[in-house]
Amino acid sequence: LIVAETSPDAVLWMMAADSAIADTAALRTALDQAVAAARAGRVVTFGMKPTRPETGYGYIEQGDGLPDLTGVHDLTAFVEKPDAARAAILASDGRHLWNSGMYVLTARTALAEFEAHAPAVLDAVRASVAGRAQDLDFIRLEPKSFATAPDISIDYAIAERTHHAAVVPADLGWSDVGSWDALWDISDKDAQGNVAVGDVVLASAENCYVRSDGIVTAVSGLSDAIVVVTGDAVLVTHRDHAQDVKKVVEQLRASGRQEAVSHRRSYRPWGFYESLIEGDRFEVKRVHIMPGERLSFHKHFHRAEHWVVVAGTAEVTRETERLLLRENEGLYMPLGVAHRVANPGRIPLTLIEVRTGSYFGEDDIVRLEDDYGRI
């Protein structure tokens, strides 16, 4: 919708964030073919030539080549993720391709297809776009309208319903890195078939994927295992069960665990904050404020805050008082006192914030002034 406001005939390339493509030269050729078809009004996807029977991907069936569109075929059918026996047939019959989930089409075509096949989605998103706000380099859609849009993928919304579907068969060295096992598959391995990322020690391990984002992680005597250690969670599973991570996330959500919906690092218009330590009636965070930005003028009813500047310069407003804090200087902000922190400098400002009190939820922020329209 936003692109269509100024360039309705612009060609869009929609792709998932977890696609890995090894052959960029082949990708450029496939894109050129797809763009030509998109400009002719087609909804184009890339079909990846199967290298093995794969039950984790959907398939598409290619039809005859389209006249005057080199390398582009009619798309005759979508096939849901098959079982092993069906996958073996699809991968070898020469007519079926892996569904990459990538689409190329013009903004004008996209709007026409959504209008025809998924008008409820279009109406909700149109209202959300109309209420959008600019936030630095981001466009923030109006959330309430967007939340009313039906939860449906572009495949089901328009690709499987359109009368203008086309496919470009391609061999791009593509992988849908949608699981930890897929990440093991495309990564460089040692002589024992292991992939180690971060501070990792391996002993008598084979064909494992081990990743640590912090503490030293040792794995001994395991085969075909996935071990992932982050700041707030640890995952240990067999590679054959990598897809079952979804079930774990569902359990976390059902039990109300915060780890299912947020990371320790939370981004805001002014920068980010990161939880370092949490305990009974205290919490320690690292606060990163970009040059020229500032937090809202606000207060808390359930917590006090202690700040220490570790990099940069902080301009602090405490009620009507203004103070400058430099590296290694600190300040105490009592409960109930209105305050704000700004970064007047040219380098990022980093604070260590120690919160003390009975409650640390984000809803204990009473904003009095805000540069980002969050009041």
Side-chain angles (χ1 to χ4, degrees):
L1 283 165
I2 295 173
V3 172
E5 290 175 354
T6 56
S7 305
D9 293 314
V11 178
L12 310 176
W13 178 21
M14 303 179 186
M15 64 182 302
D18 56 2
S19 293
I21 297 174
D23 192 338
T24 55
L27 173 63
R28 284 192 289 269
T29 299
L31 276 172
D32 287 342
Q33 295 169 342
V35 167
R39 287 177 173 153
R42 291 282 183 163
V43 178
V44 190
T45 188
F46 297 108
M48 303 302 162
K49 297 176 182 178
T51 58
R52 63 186 183 277
E54 176 58 61
T55 60
Y57 301 157
Y59 288 72
I60 51 182
E61 183 180 26
Q62 65 173 341
D64 296 333
L66 296 177
D68 301 322
L69 291 172
T70 302
V72 185
H73 291 248
D74 191 27
L75 195 162
T76 56
F78 285 84
V79 180
E80 292 295 329
K81 295 177 182 178
D83 59 24
R86 177 73 169 147
I89 296 172
L90 296 175
S92 61
D93 67 7
R95 294 183 296 108
H96 287 87
L97 307 163
W98 287 338
N99 182 2
S100 69
M102 296 188 284
Y103 291 94
V104 178
L105 70 171
T106 66
R108 188 189 303 276
T109 297
L111 293 181
E113 294 291 345
F114 274 102
E115 186 72 63
H117 303 294
V121 173
L122 183 60
D123 290 345
V125 177
R126 183 176 278 134
S128 181
V129 168
R132 70 187 184 269
Q134 191 76 29
D135 176 6
L136 301 178
D137 294 334
F138 297 93
I139 294 174
R140 298 194 180 274
L141 301 179
E142 193 279 307
K144 291 183 179 179
S145 299
F146 194 85
T148 66
D151 185 6
I152 186 172
S153 70
I154 189 173
D155 298 61
Y156 294 130
I158 65 172
E160 296 186 12
R161 300 176 182 180
T162 181
H163 301 296
H164 305 100
V167 58
V168 174
D171 187 2
L172 309 180
W174 171 86
S175 177
D176 176 15
V177 192
S179 70
W180 291 107
D181 185 49
L183 196 55
W184 173 87
D185 191 49
I186 67 169
S187 299
D188 294 333
K189 304 170 184 65
D190 65 17
Q192 287 72 45
N194 297 306
V195 176
V197 182
D199 195 357
V200 171
V201 177
L202 300 173
S204 302
E206 295 181 343
N207 302 320
C208 293
Y209 182 92
V210 185
R211 179 189 187 99
S212 175
D213 290 346
I215 61 174
V216 60
T217 300
V219 172
S220 176
L222 296 183
S223 299
D224 300 303
I226 294 171
V227 179
V228 181
V229 179
T230 66
D232 59 350
V234 176
L235 170 70
V236 181
T237 187
H238 193 280
R239 284 177 40 219
D240 289 346
H241 292 273
Q243 296 287 349
D244 291 345
V245 171
K246 298 175 184 177
K247 298 177 182 178
V248 175
V249 174
E250 290 171 0
Q251 291 183 39
L252 291 172
R253 283 180 176 152
S255 60
R257 295 295 299 257
Q258 191 66 22
E259 292 89 345
V261 295
S262 65
H263 295 281
R264 281 183 172 267
R265 177 175 291 191
S266 296
Y267 287 90
R268 294 294 183 266
W270 42 262
F272 66 83
Y273 65 82
E274 184 173 16
S275 180
L276 302 178
I277 303 173
E278 298 178 19
D280 185 24
R281 296 184 63 86
F282 78 90
E283 185 176 19
V284 181
K285 290 184 177 289
R286 177 164 72 105
V287 181
H288 179 99
I289 304 174
M290 295 182 293
E293 301 300 326
R294 61 181 185 173
L295 281 64
S296 61
F297 188 52
H298 65 281
K299 59 184 177 181
H300 311 287
F301 290 121
H302 300 284
R303 68 176 184 252
E305 295 172 339
H306 304 250
W307 299 328
V308 176
V309 177
V310 296
T313 301
E315 181 184 80
V316 179
T317 301
R318 182 171 56 185
E319 296 289 359
T320 59
E321 180 185 16
R322 286 197 176 184
L323 304 165
L324 277 181
L325 297 180
R326 296 175 176 83
E327 291 184 13
N328 299 317
E329 294 181 340
L331 186 68
Y332 170 64
M333 196 63 63
L335 181 150
V337 173
H339 59 279
R340 158 182 272 157
V341 182
N343 180 1
R346 297 183 178 180
I347 64 172
L349 165 63
T350 301
L351 303 170
I352 297 299
E353 176 183 282
V354 180
R355 301 175 173 183
T356 58
S358 59
Y359 179 70
F360 305 125
E362 288 296 293
D363 52 350
D364 184 32
I365 300 176
V366 181
R367 291 188 173 93
L368 307 174
E369 297 176 8
D370 186 63
D371 295 343
Y372 312 107
R374 296 175 297 172
I375 296 178

